[in-house]
Amino acid sequence: MQTNLLSRVTSDKPIHMSEKINHPQLCAWLSAVANTRDKVSFTHLFKFFGPKIQSIARGKFPNEAQANEVVQETMSNVWRKAHLFDKDKGAATTWVYTVMRNVTFDMLRKIKGNKEDNLSDDIWPLAESMVCESESFDDHLENKQLLSVLEQLPEAQQAVVKGFYFMEMSQEQLAVHLNLPLGTIKSRLRLALSKLKVQLGEDND
Amino acid sequence: MIKHHPKFELLQSFVDGDLPASLSAAVAIHADMCAQCQKKIALLTDQIAETSFEENFLDRFIVDDEAVDTIDFDKMIEGITESSDIDISETKVKKSIEFANKTYNLPTVLNNIILGKTAHIGKLSRTRLELQEDEIHTSLLHIEPGGGVPQHTHKGFELTLLLDGSFHDEHGEYVKGDFIMLDGSHTHNPISAEGCLCYTVANDALHFTQGINKLLNPIGAFIY
Ligand SMILES: [Zn+2]
C-alpha cells in the first residue's frame, strides 16, 4: 500500500496532528477505557474506528466475514489491552493502527497456511515506544534536542527538514512528494536550517 | 557502526504489514539495533495511522448499505465489553542458542518462532526457523572463526542480518546490525575472521559460481 506520506503538508497542516482527527478526544477515551473500563468511551472509540477498520480490512481480505472479524478482534484488543497505551509515547491513532495491523497480519498468516503462531506482537510490540530510549546510540541526545526545536518551526519548514533528515529523502524526492518546485524546497530547507542553528546554538555545528 | 539499512520501500511495507513474517522480523530486529531506522519507522507509522483513520470528506457521501446490513456494531460493542478482564502481557524472556560452544542471546522478536534442528558442514552451522513460508527459507547461520561461504550468486534474494560478530566480502566489512539485501545481480564470498551469527532469509538456493566451488552445490542448498 502506498501512503501519501507528506501530501497533507502541501495544505500547510502539521505532519502529526491532522485537523480532521480530534486527537486529544481519542486519547481521553482510550485512557478512560484503560483506567476505568468506561463503556461509553469505548462506544465512542468503536464508532470512530470501527467503520474505518472495516473498510480497510475489506481491501485486504477476500470475504466480508473476515473483514468483520478484523473489526471484532481489533476492537476487543483495544478493550482488553488499552492499559498498554502510553499517551506520552504516541497518538491513539498510532496505537490503534498497530493493534489493527497486528490482527490483520496474524489473520492473513493463518489463512495462508494455518499458521497460528501470532508473531505480530513480537514484531510490533504494543507496549513499547518505537522511539529508542537507549543510551547506546550517540546521536540520540542530539536528535531529541533537534526534534524539540524542530517543533517550533513553521509547519511547511518542518516537513522539509523531517523529510530530508529523518526520512533521508533527497531534495528532488521531496519536491516530488510535496508537489513543490525544487527551488521552494531548497529555500525552505535553508530558512529552516538557519533558524535551527540559532536555536541550537552555534557550537552545535 | 551499522552501514547497511533496509531501503525506504521495505520500511514502508514493514509498517503497512505487507512483508512476510521472515522479513518483518528482520526489519524489527534491525530497528532494535538502529536508532535511525527506528525513528523512520515511528514517523511512517504515525503518518499511515493518521491517513488511515482520517475522516475522508468523501466518506459522508458514500452510503454503504451492504456494510450496515452485515455488521451489527452495537451488538459487537456489547459482546466485547461484557467482560472487563484485561490482557496481562507476559514479560519477555531472553532466549539463547549455542553454536560451537558459544552462547548467543536471540532477539526477542524471534521468541515465538519454532527452531528446527541444527545441521553442520565444516565451519558452517544452520538452524532453520520454522516459519512455513513456502519457498522463503529463514535460518540462523553460524560461521566459526575463519569460515566462510564460497563465492556465490542468488537466483532470488538473500538477506543477511548480522546478529553478532562480523564478516567481510569483496564489497567491504559488515558488523552487528548490518542489514544486507542481495539479489541475483550480486556475487559474493563472505568470510568471517572472528566468527559470526546471522539471521538469513532466501527464496532460492544459492548458486556457486567459481570453478571447484560448483561442486559445492550441496552447500548452496544447505544454506538456503
Ligand atoms: Zn537502520
Side-chain angles (χ1 to χ4, degrees):
Chain A
M1 192 187 351
Q2 276 294 98
T3 55
N4 57 338
L5 282 181
L6 299 166
S7 62
R8 91 176 61 85
V9 175
T10 49
S11 54
D12 275 328
K13 278 184 204 139
I15 253 186
H16 281 100
M17 297 289 158
S18 160
E19 283 159 20
K20 294 178 190 163
I21 297 179
N22 187 345
H23 286 281
Q25 179 64 77
L26 291 175
C27 188
W29 284 332
L30 195 49
S31 303
V33 169
N35 299 331
T36 61
R37 318 297 291 138
D38 182 23
K39 291 186 189 185
V40 175
S41 293
F42 181 74
T43 305
H44 286 307
L45 286 174
F46 200 111
K47 298 247 152 93
F48 179 86
F49 286 110
K52 296 184 177 81
I53 294 171
Q54 189 188 30
S55 77
I56 294 165
R58 279 179 169 193
K60 296 215 170 195
F61 289 88
N63 74 62
E64 201 140 322
Q66 288 164 335
N68 292 349
E69 203 182 324
V70 174
V71 180
Q72 164 80 38
E73 272 300 299
T74 303
M75 291 315 292
S76 66
N77 282 349
V78 167
W79 175 248
R80 286 184 285 110
K81 298 181 180 188
H83 59 285
L84 298 177
F85 168 68
D86 182 346
K87 63 178 177 1
D88 297 329
K89 287 186 176 169
T93 42
T94 303
W95 191 77
V96 174
Y97 173 82
T98 303
V99 174
M100 173 187 72
R101 192 251 332 270
N102 290 9
V103 164
T104 306
F105 183 86
D106 287 337
M107 261 181 70
L108 281 172
R109 215 173 125 69
K110 191 167 136 189
I111 290 168
K112 272 184 205 150
N114 249 336
K115 290 155 289 200
E116 298 196 38
D117 40 14
N118 300 324
L119 300 174
S120 67
D121 286 353
D122 289 331
I123 298 170
W124 299 280
L126 292 178
E128 286 163 20
S129 158
M130 292 288 203
V131 178
C132 175
E133 297 298 334
S134 152
E135 298 298 317
S136 58
F137 303 102
D138 17 347
D139 61 347
H140 172 62
L141 263 181
E142 212 174 295
N143 266 337
K144 205 169 175 183
Q145 193 189 0
L146 183 64
L147 264 181
S148 69
V149 175
L150 211 52
E151 305 292 333
Q152 298 162 27
L153 291 176
E155 276 126 25
Q157 291 172 19
Q158 271 192 38
V160 178
V161 176
K162 284 185 179 173
F164 191 70
Y165 285 102
F166 296 136
M167 320 296 286
E168 286 180 351
M169 296 166 90
S170 67
Q171 301 192 17
E172 288 74 15
Q173 283 173 319
L174 274 166
V176 174
H177 258 283
L178 300 176
N179 198 21
L180 288 169
L182 186 57
T184 309
I185 298 291
K186 288 188 171 164
S187 65
R188 281 192 190 174
L189 196 56
R190 216 173 18 244
L191 257 174
L193 290 182
S194 61
K195 283 189 199 165
L196 285 176
K197 268 188 193 163
V198 173
Q199 307 235 30
L200 288 168
E202 289 298 333
D203 55 318
N204 237 288
D205 55 354
Chain B
M1 205 185 101
I2 300 176
K3 270 192 292 192
H4 301 269
H5 307 268
K7 59 177 185 188
F8 184 74
E9 290 75 15
L10 211 57
L11 292 181
Q12 213 164 26
S13 312
F14 169 78
V15 166
D16 291 345
D18 290 339
L19 293 179
S22 48
L23 292 178
S24 301
V27 174
I29 295 168
H30 172 81
D32 276 344
M33 297 189 266
C34 176
Q36 207 180 320
C37 287
Q38 210 168 78
K39 187 149 285 152
K40 287 187 205 173
I41 288 166
L43 275 174
L44 284 170
T45 311
D46 280 349
Q47 285 166 338
I48 196 193
E50 188 87 16
T51 326
S52 301
F53 297 132
E54 214 163 52
E55 194 85 55
N56 189 322
F57 79 102
L58 283 174
D59 286 352
R60 290 172 220 163
F61 304 103
I62 299 167
V63 183
D64 198 337
D65 291 324
E66 211 190 348
V68 178
D69 283 348
T70 55
I71 191 161
D72 184 343
F73 282 154
D74 291 331
K75 207 175 149 201
M76 213 183 246
I77 293 170
E78 228 172 89
I80 289 170
T81 54
E82 221 166 31
S83 155
S84 59
D85 290 350
I86 62 168
D87 276 11
I88 306 296
S89 51
E90 45 201 295
T91 38
K92 278 180 181 162
V93 255
K94 276 228 185 283
K95 294 193 176 177
S96 61
I97 189 165
E98 198 173 295
F99 286 107
N101 297 320
K102 197 171 167 195
T103 306
Y104 296 89
N105 280 329
L106 287 178
T108 52
V109 175
L110 306 179
N111 268 2
N112 290 298
I113 300 174
I114 297 163
L115 298 183
K117 278 193 184 137
T118 302
H120 309 273
I121 288 187
K123 293 189 170 181
L124 301 177
S125 309
R126 185 213 66 200
T127 303
R128 189 78 84 206
L129 277 76
E130 308 289 356
L131 284 169
Q132 320 291 352
E133 293 184 306
D134 304 319
E135 79 284 359
I136 301 177
H137 291 180
T138 305
S139 314
L140 293 170
L141 181 71
H142 183 260
I143 306 179
E144 282 179 46
V149 182
Q151 179 141 14
H152 64 278
T153 180
H154 327 90
K155 276 181 253 162
F157 68 84
E158 182 201 56
L159 166 73
T160 307
L161 172 60
L162 252 164
L163 300 180
D164 204 59
S166 66
F167 70 79
H168 66 270
D169 66 12
E170 39 281 83
H171 308 292
E173 177 85 17
Y174 304 90
V175 298
K176 184 174 172 174
D178 269 332
F179 186 105
I180 309 132
M181 182 68 98
L182 298 176
D183 62 32
S185 60
H186 298 84
T187 305
H188 73 153
N189 171 210
I191 291 166
S192 182
E194 52 152 338
C196 65
L197 178 65
C198 304
Y199 174 92
T200 66
V201 184
N203 67 345
D204 203 344
L206 311 191
H207 186 69
F208 289 98
T209 49
Q210 256 185 356
I212 192 131
N213 284 334
K214 285 186 181 168
L215 297 174
L216 296 175
N217 271 321
I219 298 191
F222 171 81
I223 292 165
Y224 162 58

